[in-house]
Amino acid sequence: MSRVAVVGGGLAGFAAYLTLRHGGIEDVVVFDPAGGDPAAAWRRRAKSIRQRRMRSESDGHCLPTSFPGLAVRAALRRRDPRPLLASVCDRYHPSVAEFLQHVEELRTASGWDDALVPTRVERIRAVEGGFRLDGGHLFQHVLVATGHPGLNLPEEIADDPRTVHAYEPHEYADDVVVVGAGMAAATEWLNALAAGARVTSVRRHEPARRPLNVPRPLFSRRGLENFHAAGPSERELFLARILEPSYPPGRDWDEPLERAGRRFRVATELNGAEQLICATGFKRGFRHNPLLAQLVDEHELETYGSWIALAADCTVPALTDGERTLALSGVAAQWAYPAADTLVGAKYAARGFLRRVKACPTH
């Protein structure tokens, strides 16, 4: 039996690997069918929506420690204090290019490629003292970081030849409908307008306007204590509410829409536009992830709505004890950390996992 496995080689798995190595855990194996660039999926999506700046702030990085953040790195590299000043006011947002360079530097320096096994894990089964992955590999501790379970396309327009998902490569027609109202949708409004298109934003509700994808207090210890103290029904309702679409406030978003005048309008129904861009994010819930769905069914795990019930440190209580650990990271860990699909959330899960690994005796 080997000691530690990370299932998933995206950014959440990468952050977990770096955190474990920083914590002194050397024998980490990472399973990922793509077997390479941890930012590959994120890079494709960012390129598709022409994203230039990160929504995250200085601490939205992959380093296992919070300091130094990306603002410090930028200030030192440029010999310019302005990134630090912007960070103090929560207004520093690194460029996509800076973030990707940061990931590549860490990938090269960390031995990431040597830890990878280019295999898709399709089953995790609990055994005495650990877990069996598929039919062979045995590990004492496993962290599952398989990312989003797929792009969400509304059924009523999924087969429409005009439809393209925002996270897939595309150009812009002269008359565009953007379905959705979150960060990707707002980015596509501006992209299509800049390309000269007429844009209709189709949405059922007005989006929230906030800098981060969940309210800022939920990144703090006090905010999490209140969240963890809530009962299951209250927590389920709270998650459903705060995970609704949002995008940042500010003139960078508002002024282009105001200048567009009649070229931008809001509607509740589709029209006959040449192109339908679905900025509707990802499928939600563990049932859309075959690995997690089988894990739940085979081990009769506790669930609430779309979420697997987790302990505050992102571990699965029924399968974690003094000898073994099973933890979730990324979007699947929102029951423990609402902003789990951020880099800050990935490191929160990784640190909880590391504490469990270090507390367990080695088999």
Side-chain angles (χ1 to χ4, degrees):
M1 181 176 292
S2 300
R3 195 165 187 211
V4 180
V6 175
V7 178
L11 288 174
F14 186 53
Y17 169 79
L18 294 173
T19 300
L20 290 163
R21 292 295 302 270
H22 179 77
I25 309 301
E26 298 292 334
D27 51 339
V28 182
V29 178
V30 181
F31 291 89
D32 186 76
D37 179 8
W42 187 91
R43 184 195 303 269
R44 288 194 300 271
R45 296 164 191 158
K47 183 177 181 180
S48 293
I49 63 170
R50 283 77 164 170
Q51 184 176 344
R52 298 173 183 83
R53 291 272 165 191
M54 305 291 287
R55 187 175 188 176
S56 58
E57 297 166 351
S58 180
D59 56 355
H61 56 76
C62 297
L63 290 165
T65 57
S66 297
F67 183 87
L70 294 180
V72 174
R73 290 163 52 85
L76 291 174
R77 185 173 60 253
R78 303 173 194 170
R79 298 182 180 180
D80 183 347
R82 283 179 292 183
L84 291 176
L85 297 175
S87 181
V88 169
C89 303
D90 295 323
R91 292 184 178 178
Y92 176 74
H93 300 280
S95 70
V96 166
E98 287 175 310
F99 173 73
L100 291 174
Q101 181 182 356
H102 155 74
V103 172
E104 189 58 33
E105 289 171 356
L106 288 176
R107 174 187 173 183
T108 301
S110 67
W112 166 257
D113 288 12
D114 294 333
L116 285 168
V117 176
T119 299
R120 182 183 302 279
V121 174
E122 298 183 346
R123 185 187 184 197
I124 299 174
R125 183 166 60 88
V127 297
E128 184 177 354
F131 303 91
R132 186 181 297 278
L133 307 189
D134 291 332
H137 306 284
L138 284 170
F139 289 91
Q140 186 180 359
H141 308 284
V142 177
L143 181 140
V144 182
T146 46
H148 291 281
L151 300 179
N152 178 41
L153 280 172
E155 290 184 6
E156 59 270 27
I157 57 174
D159 296 327
D160 193 313
R162 301 174 296 166
T163 297
V164 63
H165 198 283
Y167 288 143
E168 295 175 332
H170 60 280
E171 298 300 328
Y172 301 97
D174 292 334
D175 192 7
V176 174
V177 162
V178 178
V179 181
M183 181 74 170
T187 303
E188 288 288 67
W189 302 335
L190 304 193
N191 289 340
L193 288 170
R198 298 181 300 277
V199 178
T200 302
S201 168
V202 172
R203 56 180 94 160
R204 295 174 182 172
H205 307 286
E206 284 300 303
R209 302 295 300 273
R210 54 175 175 254
L212 304 174
N213 64 338
V214 302
R216 194 177 295 277
L218 288 171
F219 288 90
S220 70
R221 180 175 297 179
R222 177 175 295 183
L224 282 177
E225 286 176 352
N226 293 334
F227 174 72
H228 291 152
S233 297
E234 183 182 355
R235 192 184 301 196
E236 186 179 348
L237 290 172
F238 180 76
L239 283 172
R241 178 169 56 83
I242 66 162
L243 295 176
E244 288 297 311
S246 69
Y247 70 99
R251 62 186 183 185
D252 289 345
W253 301 93
D254 296 337
E255 287 185 357
L257 302 184
E258 293 171 0
R259 289 197 301 269
R262 294 183 179 180
R263 287 200 301 124
F264 180 80
R265 70 187 190 95
V266 175
T268 57
E269 301 289 340
L270 297 176
N271 58 28
E274 299 171 66
Q275 185 180 38
L276 303 179
I277 299 177
C278 286
T280 44
F282 304 94
K283 296 176 181 177
R284 286 191 181 183
F286 70 89
R287 282 292 168 199
H288 293 290
N289 183 315
L291 176 64
L292 294 180
Q294 185 178 58
L295 183 73
V296 166
D297 293 341
E298 186 168 352
H299 297 89
E300 298 181 345
L301 299 182
E302 183 179 9
T303 63
Y304 295 96
S306 300
W307 294 279
I308 299 172
L310 302 176
D313 61 359
C314 300
T315 56
V316 179
L319 300 178
T320 300
D321 54 33
E323 294 189 347
R324 68 185 184 187
T325 310
L326 184 72
L328 305 186
S329 183
V331 68
Q334 286 174 325
W335 190 258
Y337 195 91
D341 62 337
T342 66
L343 286 167
V344 174
K347 286 183 285 188
Y348 174 92
R351 290 165 184 164
F353 183 65
L354 173 63
R355 289 192 295 271
R356 292 277 190 168
V357 171
K358 295 182 78 171
C360 282
T362 303
H363 285 183

